[in-house]
Structure formats: structure tokens, C-alpha cells
Amino acid sequence: MNTKQRKLIYRILPYVILAFIGICFLLPLLWVLVASVDPNAMQSLKMPKQLTAGNYADVLTSSENQRSFVIGLLMSLGQAVIVVLLAVLAAYPLSRYQLKFKKPFMLTILFMTSLPITAVMVPVYQLFLSLKLYDNNVGVVLFYVASSMPYGIWMIKNFMDSVPEDLEEAAWVDGASVITGIRKIIAPLMVPGICTVAIFTFSGSWGNFFVPYILLQTPEKFPASLKLYQFFGQYGMVDYGRLAAFSVLYAIPSIMLYILSQRFMSKGFSMQGGTKG
Amino acid sequence: MGGVPISTPYWRRKNITWIYFLLPSIAIMLLFFIYPILLTFFYSFTNLALTGEAAKELQFVGLDNYTRMFQDPTVRVSIWNTLVFLIGSAVIGQQVLGFLIALLMKHKNKTFRRIIGTVVLAGWVTPEIVCALCLYSFFGDEGTLNAIITSLGISPVTWLYTVPMLTVILANIWHGTAFSMLVFQAALDDVPSEIEEAAVVDGASKLQILFRITIPYIKETITTNMMLVTLQTLGVFGLIYAMTGGGPGTATMTLPIFMYNQAFVNYQLGYGTAISLLLLLLGIVLSLFYIRSLKE
């Protein structure tokens, strides 16, 4: 093998390996997409003989499914809003004050960010029984909020640190209160950060299965994630087409939010030049 | 204890009570996060149960749950499975594959990069339960993988029964690799190209550049990513539960699944909590290690 041939192989090989990896990642995904429009969907990937929107129609017209989607949306939205509000409040003194306990507090927060939630579910279940919060969607949201607070505070505080204080001071001179300063000056400047945290919190809760699985019992209260599991747990995965259609519909919010978050993150802090010149 | 403002004297005049800002989030974390962690320690020394005598009266049983745990062969299997799952899917799978993809993608055709990147990211963005469903049907007896190998003239394999651990490891790699890929893409972009070019001029081979320059340069990123990925993987429940339910037998029984079975299938909450504590301690040790590696 001469040098020219070797060079050619070196050039092509990465493309071959990447293409192979790409196909491996694509195949399972392709199945769910194709099966969702195939009236005779099977377990394996195959070309559908005809296309149908019937699976989607079936899933969408079922009032049970509609309810699970609405419940999921409300729970995830509620959680995202509460987390952002509380995290902005908490991050403010942490970002603007010199507090004695700040460093240990932030380290505790970071530590809590990384603990596996799975490990506390048994005591949380017991706690929910004694607080009469078991099988209560609001209770699930409260637990979600608590478990995403560490991440929320950590991120929001970092974002807030890079908002210049000068603008805020100017507002105070004009007679604004601290809360007005946060609402009218800091929050608008932190939109990318706030959106990042909100989106992350929303998709975390939307995609979560274990927490509602433990804390909810009545099928009427199930969010979409549980409904989907119920679907393929109980019916022995017979109706692949509808199952796939439900999965695609359920995955759409996560995918859209991810695309949205990319836009926010790439925008970055274009407003930071506000105090320059 | 009043907070002293960082830069402006305005604060001293206004004397803001900063504690009110922190109170709501601290309260909710204390009640629903820190208190349950403390409860884990407490309940693991009790006979807490959902049915039978113990359900009526909570009793301290000392170290009973722990002696039981150390004698229970399923615990040993679960710990072993958890480690295999961690190392296979997180440490080796997601890290190495994520790094490999990021490395191979560098300086490649833009459209090609975008296509591969999108496909890998799709697995990450997809919710856990949908991933479980996709991979379950991929490895199923009449699934895509068997359809492919049958068409190649190889007889089909019952993947979920013969190599169940491998299937859940691959599922978690499919679900999680994008995170490492993104992290390593960013890190590799930060490696100054002058250093690598200088090494090329000095006659270094591609492998030498990789192991002597690139990897040492992004060492910190590798450590941080490793910890994050490991901690995420430690708590994985839905993916395994929906694909294999921990079986067949105890073949894919990891600590979270075993904990679930003991607490909610066998109604032994006290014993389940003792297992949670084991999981929690693993998480705490790993987190502390992670925070230390971040501080350095």
C-alpha cells in the first residue's frame, strides 16, 4: 500500500465509521416514525404498504390520552414557572450580596444537583402518605420543584452574576425598588438563562417516568409518560402503530423545546454591552 | 446576620432583608428533598412495611435490614449489575463513543456532521420511556435487529433473554451519548490548533498527537463529564424497568430496580430504604469526588 492509498483510506475511514454509528442510532428511531404511519405496524422496521394517519387520529381522539397530555403539560409548565420564580429570588442575594455562608451554600446546592433522585423515592413515598399528598398531582409538582431547585439556583445564579450591576443602580437612583429592579432590569437581561432553566426543568419533568409512577395511583391522574407505559405494559405491545404514534406525539414537546433552547443558548448575552461607552 | 453588599453603598442604606429571597426555595428543598434524605437514614433502621403487622406499628429493628442486605445474594448481584451497567454504558459506552464521534467529526464536511449530530441528539432528546420502547422493539424477537441478521442468513437471537445486560447497556448508550458528544465537541474546539500543528511539524503521528496532546489538554473535561455521566446513570430506572423489568431472573437487576421491587412489590419499605441508602451513599461518594475534581 503506497502513501497515496493510505492517505485516501485515512480520509474515508472516519466517514465510514461515522456513517455506521449514524445508522445504528437511526434504526430504532426510524422504527417508531415509520410504525406510527403504518396501518399494519410490526415489531421490526419495514416499508409500510400504505400510509395512514389513523394511528395518530386514534391516539388524539381518545379523551383519556388527551387528558394525560393536558395533565403532563400543566404539571411540567407549573413546575418550570415555580422553579424559575423561586430560583431568581434565591439567586439574587447569592449573586449580589457578600454572604458568609455563600460558599458552603453553593457547594451544598451543587452537591444536591448531582444526587440521584431515584434513591430518595421510597422515603418520599412514605412522606407523601403521611402528608396526604399521595396520588395528588400538585404534590408531584412540589416534589419536582424541590428536586430541580438546586440545579435552577445554580444556573440562575451563574447567569445573574454576568448581568452588570450598573444598570440596576441606575434604576435605583431613579427610585425603583429592589423587586422592580429584578423584574424590569435583571430578568429581561437574563432571558436566555431563564429560558434555558425553564426548558431544562420542563423537559426533565415531561420525560420523567419514575416519580409519577411512584407517587400517583389513579389512572385518571396520569401524565403522558405514565399513560404510555401503561399502554405498552398492559396491552403486551400488540398495537404497535398506535403505540408508536403516541410515542411520537409524546416526544414532540421535548424535541421542540430542545431546538428552541439551542436558539436561546446561541443568542447568549447580546445585551451585555449595555453599559459600555 | 446582615448581608454586606459587594459594591454599592445603596444596600447599606436600604437594608434589604435578603433572607426572604432565599426562604421559599430553602423551605421547599428542606421539606421535599433534604428531609427525605434524612428519612432514608431513619427508615432504614425500621421494619416499615405496607402490609402485615409492621404496617400498623413502626419498630426499630437496629441493623436487621443491613445484616439482611449483606446476606441477600440478590443484593450482591444488584451491586454487581449496577457496576457493570455503570461502567459499560456510562464510563466506556457514552464517554468513549461520545469522544470518538466528536473526534471523528472534527474538520469534516458540515452537512455530514449535521446529519450524524442530529441523529445522535435525537436519542438524547427522546424521553426515557420512548427510548425504552424503541430499543425494546429493536432487540425484540421479531424486531429490527433480528430482521437484519436473518436477511444476512444468520439465525435470529433472543437478545433480551440471552444478552439482556448488553441490550440495556446499548439502550443507555443510545439514549445518553449525545451529552458526552456535545461536551467533547466543545472541548476539542478549545484545543489550540497551533499546538497540534507544531506536533505535526515535529513528525508526531496522529495517535501520538491524540494521546500526548489532545487528551491531556482536555483532561479536566473528561473527569467532569465522567462524573456527571456516572451520576446520571446511577439512578437510571425507567429504561431498564420498561425493557426487561430487571430480568430475566436477576440478569438486569440494578440497585434502583431492586429497591423498587423490595419497597413496592414486596411492600418491604424499611428494607427498600436500606437499599436506597446504599444507592444514596454511592451517589454521595461520587458527588463529593466530582465536586473535588471541579474545585481543583
Side-chain angles (χ1 to χ4, degrees), chain A residues 11 14-15 17-19 21-22 24-29 31-32 42-45 86 89-90 92-102 105 107 109-112 114-129 131 133 142-143 145-147 149-150 153 165 168-169 172 176-179 182 206-207 209-210 213-214 225 228-229 232 237 240 243-244 247 250-251 254-255 258, chain B residues 1 3-8 10-11 16 18 21-22 24-26 28-29 31-37 39-40 43 48 50 97 100-101 104-105 108-109 112 116 119-122 124-130 132-138 140-144 147-148 173-174 177 182 231 234-238 241-242 256 259-260 263-264 269 272-273 276 279-280 283-284 287-288 290-291 294-295:
Chain A
R11 277 197 57 166
Y15 283 97
I17 299 174
L18 280 176
I21 295 173
C24 291
F25 272 84
L26 185 65
L27 282 176
L29 203 67
W31 171 79
V32 79
M42 303 290 285
Q43 200 179 38
S44 73
L45 180 65
L86 295 189
L89 275 185
Y92 189 71
L94 290 171
S95 167
R96 295 298 195 249
Y97 278 96
Q98 220 144 30
L99 303 167
K100 252 188 225 154
F101 65 87
K102 186 152 88 182
F105 184 80
L107 278 176
I109 291 284
L110 178 65
F111 173 67
M112 281 164 64
S114 45
L115 284 182
I117 297 179
T118 317
V120 295
M121 280 325 287
V122 185
V124 166
Y125 169 81
Q126 187 63 24
L127 180 69
F128 269 51
L129 281 182
L131 291 177
L133 278 171
L142 285 177
F143 174 68
V145 168
S147 58
M149 273 326 287
I153 295 178
E165 268 175 77
E168 216 184 327
E169 278 171 33
W172 296 336
S177 70
V178 171
I179 293 289
I182 298 179
W206 180 255
F209 161 75
F210 194 39
Y213 190 59
I214 298 293
S225 56
L228 176 61
Y229 177 72
F232 86 88
M237 312 235 327
Y240 289 108
L243 197 53
S247 302
Y250 168 56
S254 306
I255 295 166
Y258 176 76
Chain B
M1 181 164 74
V4 180
I6 292 169
S7 63
T8 157
Y10 175 89
W11 288 103
I16 303 301
W18 51 268
F21 285 79
L22 275 163
S25 34
I26 292 184
I28 200 165
M29 282 192 291
L31 179 59
F32 291 115
F33 205 57
I34 298 168
Y35 182 51
I37 292 177
L39 278 181
T40 312
Y43 283 143
L48 187 65
L50 282 180
L97 188 62
L100 185 75
I101 297 174
L104 290 177
M105 272 201 190
K108 294 293 176 309
N109 178 298
F112 185 77
I116 302 293
V119 174
V120 177
L121 270 169
W124 186 49
V125 176
T126 305
E128 196 181 22
I129 278 298
V130 179
L133 171 66
C134 288
L135 273 297
Y136 179 89
S137 58
F138 183 74
D141 292 351
E142 280 151 33
T144 310
I148 293 173
I173 293 175
W174 191 81
T177 298
L182 291 174
L231 282 162
L234 190 63
V236 169
F237 173 83
Y241 184 71
M259 174 197 86
Y260 173 81
F264 299 106
L269 286 178
T273 318
S276 316
L279 193 63
L280 200 62
I284 289 174
S287 307
L288 289 177
Y290 162 54
I291 289 168
L294 265 191
K295 275 170 88 182

Side-chain angles (χ1 to χ4, degrees), chain A residues 204-242:
Chain A
S205 132
W206 180 255
N208 197 309
F209 161 75
F210 194 39
V211 174
Y213 190 59
I214 298 293
L215 297 179
L216 293 176
Q217 190 184 29
T218 319
E220 284 76 36
K221 294 177 182 171
F222 284 180
S225 56
L226 277 192
K227 194 86 208 155
L228 176 61
Y229 177 72
Q230 209 191 14
F231 222 144
F232 86 88
Q234 274 182 5
Y235 303 110
M237 312 235 327
V238 183
D239 203 341
Y240 289 108
R242 269 204 266 170

Side-chain angles (χ1 to χ4, degrees), chain B residues 229-277:
Chain B
V229 168
T230 313
L231 282 162
Q232 274 165 19
T233 309
L234 190 63
V236 169
F237 173 83
L239 199 65
I240 305 177
Y241 184 71
M243 275 181 76
T244 66
T250 53
T252 51
M253 186 82 77
T254 56
L255 282 174
I257 309 259
F258 187 57
M259 174 197 86
Y260 173 81
N261 279 346
Q262 290 307 319
F264 299 106
V265 180
N266 297 339
Y267 303 122
Q268 299 297 313
L269 286 178
Y271 189 42
T273 318
I275 302 155
S276 316
L277 193 66

